[in-house]
Amino acid sequence: MEAAGRGRRKAQGRRAKKNMNTGGSPAECPVCLAGYDDTLQRPRTLPCGHTVCTLCIDQLEEQGRVACPECRVSHAVPEGGQFLVCYAVEALIRMMKDAEVAAAAAAASPPPSAGEGERAAAAAAGKKEAAGLSQKMRSFLQEQEATVVAAITACRDAQAQLNQDQTTLAGWGERQQQLEDRLLGLVDQSRNVRELLQQEESRAAAKEEELKKGEQGLQAVLETLRTLTTEQEAGAAVTEVFRVTSEAEQTVKECREGVPDASTVTTARKVNAASSAALEAVQAVLAALETLTIEEPRPQSDSDSTVMGRLHLICTGSLTAEDLRSLTQPARRLLEAGWVFAVHQVEGQRRHARISLEAGQLCLHALKDHPPPLGAATLQVSEVVPPSPPCTVFLDLSWPGRAPRRVRIRLSPDTPRGRQFLLLCTGQRGPSYVNTRLYHVEKKGEAGEFVRGGDYESNDGSGSSVLLPGLGEGEYRESGRAGDVFGLVWNDRIRGENGKFGIFTRDCQDSVVSLRVFGEVVDGLHVVAEAAQHRDIKEVTVADCGVVL
């Protein structure tokens, strides 16, 4: 059966090539040479641009792909199971059929009356001129005419769209001008209030100087009163006391009642409140823009293909975790464009993790401080990352002369070390394995060889910070097979509680060391083994890490 199918497809390919070489009609399938219709043999366009009928495409399909019978380029069958219908060819077929019907009706109509002689003569002249054209040429010219008419229609539609967009942009410009005027008015008010406050500050400084001089005069009078010896001196001193005290009391009264100016203070408080409210509103809008989610423009909608349509999607679209897991077409396109991120709050700081699609698998990379591009689709980390193992995480190892290569690790359930390893691969608690080094190789070249790494604190094996408590609890497996990921226990004391780990590259035959295995390398063990043989293990760096969703 399979051989017969291959023979049938080869024969169809030969017919297509023959039809192409002989200039077949555009209204006929190049494979079966039958005319297209609007039921079983609808014209369908392949991504390479060639058109084949539905029946022939179904016969050419093999293992989800179709090889074009004309150019032999292989194409994957779309998710819907069918390639797009070529509506241009269908429209051409309808035009040709309408022309044939009109020609038949004209041939069967009675001779024109005497009053129609002039029109009849013109029609006869047109037929005479066309008499020298072949049927194929007339069909080709009709096709070109349809193409020109379609292009004119597209130009007119584009002009109408541009006129509409110009009206929209003009409206936005007017509103923006109004906002700018209001903001400039607020800035002018703020500037005026600032100048008034500076004036009040200068007036207060001047009053302060007056008070200091008055105080000095009072001090001098006080000293004089204490040193008086005659009645004549006493009379003169009392007169001076009345003068100096009156001036001081007047200055104090002016300070208490007129400095600073009540109107200036009231205006300053109002403008300050208005400016603060405006800034808070701006910050709220910017925060909302940072969390905008978008949906990939839908190809079935013509309006979404315009700039305005895409902007509308940016402002109103959304992407859910279910869309991501089911890999809908919009989600897949966003992933391929690198526009999907997960958001997580770490110690009051928003951090973002890129979500990628690699070899058909969704991967969340370690959280980083820098924000995603404006308008990127975002979800919460908790929506996509499991709270605890079992799950698969990854480390991308690199060293000089070697591009990063991935090591996938399957974490066991019910182990605190496994939960800690997951948190350090995502960075949900702050630190992560990104930019940490492998710092030692035990038993290099011997049975039981393993590498050590994961010291996110000191990066040399001396770190001791604990990310999660109780790492010794839980159901650990004691083993020593190549690929096992473990934490060491020596003399009943856990070593490396800050996230340090070991990975066996060769089977262990030593039963002296008790191991707490919490994971297993499921892909990329050869990368770890090659790293163990590198001349300097401390040059091996975790370039990236994350979790397979």
Side-chain angles (χ1 to χ4, degrees):
M1 292 293 290
E2 184 176 353
R6 287 197 298 269
R8 182 172 62 255
R9 285 188 291 273
K10 290 181 179 178
Q12 290 170 337
R14 288 193 296 270
R15 287 199 300 271
K17 185 175 182 181
K18 179 180 178 181
N19 189 39
M20 179 179 63
N21 293 336
T22 56
S25 171
E28 296 177 352
C29 173
V31 177
C32 62
L33 305 183
Y36 296 118
D37 59 26
D38 56 357
T39 56
L40 297 178
Q41 291 183 285
R42 299 188 72 179
R44 296 189 179 273
T45 301
L46 299 173
C48 60
H50 295 115
T51 305
V52 184
C53 75
T54 304
L55 292 179
C56 291
I57 285 183
D58 292 339
Q59 294 176 358
L60 290 170
E61 181 178 352
E62 182 176 3
Q63 296 182 352
R65 302 188 70 85
V66 170
C68 175
E70 295 194 19
C71 65
R72 308 308 300 167
V73 174
S74 178
H75 306 289
V77 177
E79 294 181 358
Q82 289 288 356
F83 293 91
L84 296 177
V85 173
C86 184
Y87 296 107
V89 172
E90 287 193 339
L92 174 62
I93 294 173
R94 285 194 293 269
M95 290 178 59
M96 293 176 63
K97 289 182 178 179
D98 293 341
E100 291 174 1
V101 171
S109 62
S113 62
E116 298 176 345
E118 187 175 351
R119 290 194 299 272
K127 289 181 180 179
K128 184 176 181 181
E129 291 178 0
L133 299 177
S134 65
Q135 179 66 32
K136 184 178 296 185
M137 180 56 68
R138 287 197 295 272
S139 298
F140 177 74
L141 292 177
Q142 289 175 352
E143 179 182 354
Q144 299 305 308
E145 180 181 350
T147 302
V148 172
V149 171
I152 293 173
T153 303
C155 289
R156 291 176 178 174
D157 291 343
Q159 291 178 30
Q161 181 65 49
L162 287 175
N163 289 333
Q164 181 180 353
D165 291 346
Q166 286 177 357
T167 303
T168 302
L169 292 172
W172 287 355
E174 292 177 2
R175 289 195 297 272
Q176 194 65 32
Q177 182 64 54
Q178 295 172 0
L179 290 173
E180 184 179 344
D181 293 341
R182 293 171 62 185
L183 289 173
L184 289 175
L186 182 59
V187 170
D188 290 339
Q189 289 181 5
S190 177
R191 185 180 296 111
N192 293 335
V193 166
R194 179 165 52 82
E195 292 175 354
L196 289 175
L197 291 174
Q198 289 174 350
Q199 294 174 6
E200 286 301 309
E201 184 181 358
S202 299
R203 198 159 71 92
K207 287 295 180 183
E208 184 181 8
E209 287 298 321
E210 290 183 22
L211 287 173
K212 288 181 179 180
K213 291 180 180 180
E215 183 182 356
Q216 291 173 358
L218 291 171
Q219 288 287 351
V221 169
L222 182 61
E223 293 294 329
T224 301
L225 290 174
R226 290 174 178 174
T227 59
L228 292 175
T229 58
T230 67
E231 291 289 335
Q232 185 179 2
E233 291 177 351
V238 169
T239 302
E240 183 66 15
V241 167
F242 286 153
R243 184 187 68 79
V244 174
T245 55
S246 297
E247 291 179 355
E249 289 174 356
Q250 181 63 29
T251 303
V252 170
K253 182 180 179 180
E254 290 176 357
C255 289
R256 289 178 176 176
E257 295 180 356
V259 179
D261 181 71
S263 176
T264 299
V265 173
T266 302
T267 303
R269 289 178 63 84
K270 290 181 179 179
V271 174
N272 184 276
S275 301
S276 299
L279 286 175
E280 290 177 0
V282 170
Q283 291 172 352
V285 171
L286 291 177
L289 288 174
E290 287 182 358
T291 58
L292 274 178
T293 56
I294 67 170
E295 181 180 353
E296 178 72 6
R298 294 157 292 188
Q300 65 269 26
S301 174
D302 293 336
S303 62
D304 290 348
S305 63
T306 65
V307 173
M308 290 295 188
R310 291 196 295 271
L311 288 175
H312 176 73
L313 286 173
I314 290 176
C315 296
T316 61
S318 62
L319 180 69
T320 65
E322 183 58 33
D323 293 332
L324 199 62
R325 294 189 182 94
S326 57
L327 283 180
T328 61
Q329 192 64 21
R332 182 182 292 274
R333 290 181 177 177
L334 286 171
L335 288 165
E336 291 173 350
W339 273 54
V340 182
F341 288 80
V343 184
H344 187 64
Q345 200 84 5
V346 182
E347 297 179 353
Q349 181 183 8
R350 288 173 63 88
R351 305 179 72 197
H352 301 80
R354 182 172 62 92
I355 300 178
S356 63
L357 181 63
E358 304 174 22
Q361 290 184 321
L362 290 171
C363 298
L364 180 136
H365 301 255
L367 289 159
K368 296 183 178 179
D369 295 332
H370 57 76
L374 183 63
T378 57
L379 304 94
Q380 294 295 323
V381 168
S382 57
E383 295 183 72
V384 292
V385 175
S388 61
C391 60
T392 300
V393 297
F394 65 87
L395 304 174
D396 289 348
L397 300 183
S398 175
W399 56 89
R402 262 301 191 179
R405 289 182 294 170
R406 181 150 299 180
V407 179
R408 292 182 176 85
I409 300 171
R410 182 70 178 173
L411 299 178
S412 305
D414 302 324
T415 59
R417 284 186 176 274
R419 290 193 293 272
Q420 176 179 258
F421 201 89
L422 172 61
L423 293 174
L424 287 169
C425 283
T426 60
Q428 289 172 265
R429 292 288 183 92
S432 73
Y433 284 136
V434 175
N435 295 328
T436 61
R437 297 192 296 264
L438 301 184
Y439 57 85
H440 189 61
V441 181
E442 293 279 359
K443 298 184 178 181
K444 187 171 184 177
E446 303 177 6
E449 176 187 79
F450 67 90
V451 299
R452 290 185 181 181
D455 184 2
Y456 65 84
E457 182 188 19
S458 302
N459 224 358
D460 59 4
S462 63
S464 58
S465 297
V466 178
L467 188 66
L468 288 181
L471 296 180
E473 302 173 1
E475 298 295 329
Y476 289 96
R477 177 167 56 88
E478 295 186 359
S479 177
R481 298 194 303 267
D484 281 345
V485 184
F486 61 92
L488 286 175
V489 177
W490 205 305
N491 297 330
D492 298 326
R493 182 169 58 89
I494 300 177
R495 299 174 58 186
E497 289 192 350
N498 72 333
K500 291 181 286 189
F501 59 85
I503 301 178
F504 275 109
T505 55
R506 301 189 183 194
D507 290 342
C508 179
Q509 300 176 359
D510 189 355
S511 60
V512 175
V513 180
S514 178
L515 302 176
R516 293 185 179 273
V517 177
F518 59 86
E520 180 183 5
V521 176
V522 294
D523 184 33
L525 181 58
H526 65 286
V527 177
V528 185
E530 188 174 340
Q533 302 305 314
H534 185 62
R535 63 179 182 274
D536 185 358
I537 190 63
K538 294 181 180 180
E539 292 184 342
V540 181
T541 305
V542 178
D544 195 8
C545 57
V547 57
V548 179
L549 304 179

